[in-house]
């Protein structure tokens, strides 16, 4: 009987050892599968997080670019307004100075000198000097300085002073008005003043 008990015990031990080994093997497989699943979940979560982070960063960068653009646009508008104010201030002073000049006795000498230069450029009869209404008092001095047969006429388009010289025979036209000089200087100032906004 002892033998049977020993055999039963031996079989029980073997079954227990085999069951333990199988349990350990199954537990190892389960743990390995669990570890792989956790690693896959971690990788997937990391990938999702990186995609979400990249998306949020792109959104933040786009919003920042829009804000920077708005800020630059507002700054540019302010600079343009300031440049225009400076330009207006400078040319208001130029107009004031020109008005003082055309009211001075030096203005008549200026017109005479310009008329003499026109005689050197185009001394044909049939010429005309177009002047503003306020300069009508200088008509005789201009005609005399030119020294050739000419006509002095009023031209309402001249506001600041000077004259436009025309000769019908040669089709020559010389704009010696302060208006043209002012316009040229205005353009020159805009291009060379250093007040360019980029």
């Amino acid at each position: 009987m002892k033998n049977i008990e020993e055999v039963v015990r031996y079989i029980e031990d073997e079954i227990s050892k085999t069951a333990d080994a199988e349990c350990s093997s199954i537990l190892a497989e389960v743990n390995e599968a669990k570890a792989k699943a956790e690693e896959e979940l971690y990788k997937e979560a990391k990938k999702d997080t990186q995609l979400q982070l990249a998306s949020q960063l792109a959104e933040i960068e786009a919003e920042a670019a829009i804000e920077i653009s708005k800020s630059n646009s507002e700054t540019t508008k302010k600079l343009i307004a300031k440049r225009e104010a400076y330009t207006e201030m400078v040319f208001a002073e130029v107009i004031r100075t020109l008005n003082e000049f055309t009211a001075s006795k030096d203005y008549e000498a200026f017109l005479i000198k310009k008329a003499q230069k026109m005689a050197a450029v185009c001394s044909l009869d049939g010429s005309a000097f177009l002047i503003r209404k306020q300069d009508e008092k200088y008509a005789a001095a201009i005609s005399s300085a030119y020294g050739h047969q000419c006509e002095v006429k009023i031209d309402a388009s001249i506001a600041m002073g000077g004259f436009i010289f025309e000769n019908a025979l040669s089709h020559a036209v010389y704009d010696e008005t302060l208006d043209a000089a002012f316009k040229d200087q205005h353009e020159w100032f805009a291009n060379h003043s250093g007040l360019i906004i980029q």
Side-chain angles (χ1 to χ4, degrees):
M1 263 295 214
K2 264 189 173 185
N3 252 350
I4 292 180
E5 283 180 16
E6 283 179 15
V7 170
V8 168
R9 206 179 280 153
Y10 174 77
I11 292 175
E12 283 179 349
D13 284 346
E14 283 301 313
I15 291 174
S16 180
K17 283 181 187 177
T18 304
D20 285 346
E22 292 244 352
C23 277
S24 292
S25 174
I26 291 171
L27 188 59
E29 284 179 24
V30 167
N31 285 339
E32 187 180 324
K34 182 180 170 189
K36 281 184 180 178
E38 285 177 352
E39 186 178 331
E40 287 299 316
L41 283 173
Y42 175 76
K43 285 180 182 177
E44 195 64 34
K46 185 176 179 182
K47 184 178 174 184
D48 287 347
T49 303
Q50 287 174 337
L51 289 173
Q52 189 175 9
L53 180 63
S55 173
Q56 287 177 348
L57 284 174
E59 189 177 318
I60 290 169
E61 287 173 356
E63 288 174 4
I66 291 169
E67 287 301 315
I68 289 169
S69 178
K70 283 181 185 176
S71 176
N72 286 343
S73 179
E74 289 172 16
T75 301
T76 300
K77 285 178 186 175
K78 287 177 184 175
L79 287 173
I80 288 171
K82 191 166 271 213
R83 178 188 63 191
E84 288 173 358
Y86 284 144
T87 301
E88 285 178 27
M89 185 173 62
V90 166
F91 281 97
E93 180 61 23
V94 169
I95 290 170
R96 188 190 64 72
T97 303
L98 285 173
N99 287 337
E100 286 177 2
F101 171 68
T102 57
S104 74
K105 51 187 168 183
D106 294 333
Y107 179 58
E108 182 177 10
F110 167 81
L111 290 173
I112 290 169
K113 188 175 181 181
K114 289 277 188 183
Q116 290 168 340
K117 284 185 180 179
M118 284 298 106
V121 173
C122 183
S123 58
L124 299 173
D125 289 342
S127 296
F129 288 88
L130 307 177
I131 61 172
R132 65 185 183 151
K133 178 75 173 153
Q134 299 93 312
D135 295 342
E136 199 170 17
K137 59 188 171 195
Y138 304 121
I142 292 170
S143 180
S144 176
Y146 181 61
H148 302 280
Q149 186 276 323
C150 67
E151 187 179 0
V152 180
K153 301 188 272 186
I154 304 300
D155 185 336
S157 70
I158 302 171
M160 296 179 164
F163 57 77
I164 297 173
F165 176 84
E166 298 177 334
N167 184 275
L169 297 174
S170 66
H171 303 288
V173 177
Y174 295 94
D175 191 341
E176 296 293 329
T177 62
L178 297 176
D179 305 62
F182 179 81
K183 182 181 177 206
D184 290 345
Q185 286 302 306
H186 206 286
E187 289 171 6
W188 181 91
F189 183 81
N191 293 326
H192 296 90
S193 66
L195 296 176
I196 295 172
I197 297 170
Q198 298 178 356

